[in-house]
Amino acid sequence: PRPRGPGGDASRMTASGSRDAAGTGLRVTLLGEGVAERAVAWSAVGFLLTLYLTPVVAAARPDLVAPLGALAALLPTLGAVALAARGRGVIPAVLLPFGPLAGYLVRALDPAVVAVPYVEAVGAALAGATALGLAAYVAGRGAALLERSA
């Protein structure tokens, strides 16, 4: 029988061992450690909040619709920076701002202006969340490196 590694898996002391370690490192970099599920849940909460708050704010105070969109992008991006600073993954950093941006854009885009409003809103939210999430990940990792060197 093969010796057991720390995770209960059989240890591989072959040339493929370095590939296994690289694959594990990539997985942790992309997904983080146990945070992806929470990021999906918080993204869904943000989606629902902005989906229902946008028309309420538009009816009560139309001048606050644009700041609501900025807030929907800013708050989860700050959370993504904090996650990245703690060594969590890229995908959770992208997922956090996606839900609130998608909820806001689904309600804020005028259906008369775009051909397929929901598809274009979700596509724009995905592009925006990817840009924000990647920037948040880089900023968070940079902050973590600066903190370690200080």
Side-chain angles (χ1 to χ4, degrees):
R2 292 188 197 174
R4 293 286 191 196
D9 298 351
S11 297
R12 293 185 185 108
M13 300 297 172
T14 63
S16 67
S18 62
R19 281 185 284 163
D20 292 343
T24 301
L26 179 64
R27 182 181 52 80
V28 169
T29 300
L30 288 177
L31 294 176
E33 294 181 11
V35 210
E37 299 86 9
R38 285 185 239 148
V40 169
W42 281 113
S43 182
V45 167
F47 174 79
L48 292 174
L49 282 173
T50 56
L51 185 70
Y52 290 107
L53 276 179
T54 302
V56 170
V57 170
R61 296 277 311 264
D63 58 321
L64 293 180
V65 173
L68 175 66
L71 189 65
L74 179 66
L75 284 178
T77 302
L78 290 175
V81 170
L83 281 177
R86 301 203 25 101
R88 305 308 190 231
V90 173
I91 292 175
V94 171
L95 283 175
L96 277 176
F98 173 70
L101 281 174
Y104 173 77
L105 290 174
V106 162
R107 294 292 188 161
L109 284 180
D110 185 10
V113 175
V114 293
V116 187
Y118 296 122
V119 173
E120 291 182 13
V122 170
L126 184 59
T130 301
L132 288 172
L134 290 176
Y137 184 79
V138 168
R141 296 308 303 149
L145 290 174
L146 287 175
E147 185 179 316
R148 282 187 211 137
S149 68

